[in-house]
Amino acid sequence: RIGSQKNMPNHIKNHKGRNTYFMLPFILGLIGLFFHFFKQKKDFWAIFLLFFFTGIAIVIELNQTPLQPRERDYAYVGSFYAFSIWIGFGVLAILDFANWVKNKIKINNITIQQISLITLTIILLGIPSLMAMENWDDHNRSHRYTARDFAKNYLKSCEEDGILFNMGDNDTFPLWYAQEVEDY
């Protein structure tokens, strides 16, 4: 869709936020969506409405500009939950397909149950492991002390038992941390 990736500049190629999932979670979710639709239509519509109103409808309602100062993923968490349910149904669909194959085909030396177990292991461990490996570097907050240092600087500016007014949660939570955890 976007052309060859061979000539990509190094600053994009090596960027921590560039993750490759091979569309596996998406494909598994789509399999689950269709499996859910064909197996339990009434339940499907409940999950679909959760997905629609906490995802697509919020995008339309908020009309957010594409460039935001930070990620706004928390606004869409309901749709993430719904899609996660469909990913779970995708695993069930694959198991259901493996059971169907088991009843239709006999393979020498390897049973269908062994193939099903191997497939299920790859899906249940492989996809989450891939996502963890790809996401770890861009979600790791180790050795980042800016918020804590700002909080300590705010507290240094106050006299003992003084009252500090701040700009909201981005200042409040580091202040609480510095006071309650580090006893500053």
Side-chain angles (χ1 to χ4, degrees):
R1 183 177 69 81
I2 57 176
S4 174
Q5 303 293 297
K6 292 179 182 177
N7 298 325
M8 190 180 309
N10 280 334
H11 74 278
I12 294 175
K13 190 184 300 184
N14 299 324
H15 191 274
K16 289 180 181 181
R18 184 174 177 271
N19 299 321
T20 306
Y21 307 117
F22 307 105
M23 292 183 59
L24 293 175
F26 180 69
I27 292 168
L28 197 56
L30 286 180
I31 291 169
L33 181 145
F34 289 113
F35 179 76
H36 193 202
F37 178 76
F38 290 114
K39 290 289 186 178
Q40 298 174 332
K41 280 195 170 98
K42 287 182 183 177
D43 293 345
F44 167 81
W45 288 112
I47 302 300
F48 176 79
L49 288 174
L50 174 67
F51 178 77
F52 179 79
F53 284 115
T54 60
I56 298 166
I58 286 179
V59 169
I60 293 167
E61 174 65 26
L62 294 179
N63 195 25
Q64 286 182 351
T65 58
L67 299 174
Q68 292 287 315
R70 64 179 179 199
E71 293 176 356
R72 305 283 184 191
D73 291 348
Y74 54 81
Y76 313 112
V77 73
S79 63
F80 296 163
Y81 289 155
F83 199 77
S84 296
I85 290 169
W86 285 330
I87 288 173
F89 275 115
V91 173
L92 287 176
I94 290 172
L95 282 175
D96 193 53
F97 178 73
N99 284 331
W100 179 81
V101 169
K102 179 176 105 176
N103 294 332
K104 299 288 181 190
I105 300 173
K106 298 287 182 196
I107 298 176
N108 297 334
N109 299 330
I110 298 176
T111 66
I112 293 298
Q113 287 177 336
Q114 290 171 325
I115 293 172
S116 298
L117 186 61
I118 291 168
T119 304
L120 186 62
T121 302
I122 290 170
I123 290 169
L124 289 179
L125 295 176
I127 294 174
S129 297
L130 171 69
M131 292 175 70
M133 288 185 326
E134 289 291 320
N135 283 312
W136 191 263
D137 61 347
D138 47 322
H139 289 84
N140 184 0
R141 299 294 184 247
S142 309
H143 309 295
R144 294 189 182 183
Y145 304 108
T146 306
R148 186 204 62 194
D149 292 345
F150 271 114
K152 287 183 176 182
N153 287 334
Y154 282 148
L155 292 170
K156 274 184 204 175
S157 72
C158 294
E159 294 181 23
E160 190 169 331
D161 296 327
I163 296 175
L164 177 65
F165 293 92
N166 63 48
M167 295 295 291
D169 62 349
N170 290 336
D171 292 334
T172 303
F173 296 130
L175 285 165
W176 282 345
Y177 169 81
Q179 289 177 305
E180 298 297 325
V181 176
E182 295 195 3
D183 202 27
Y184 187 81

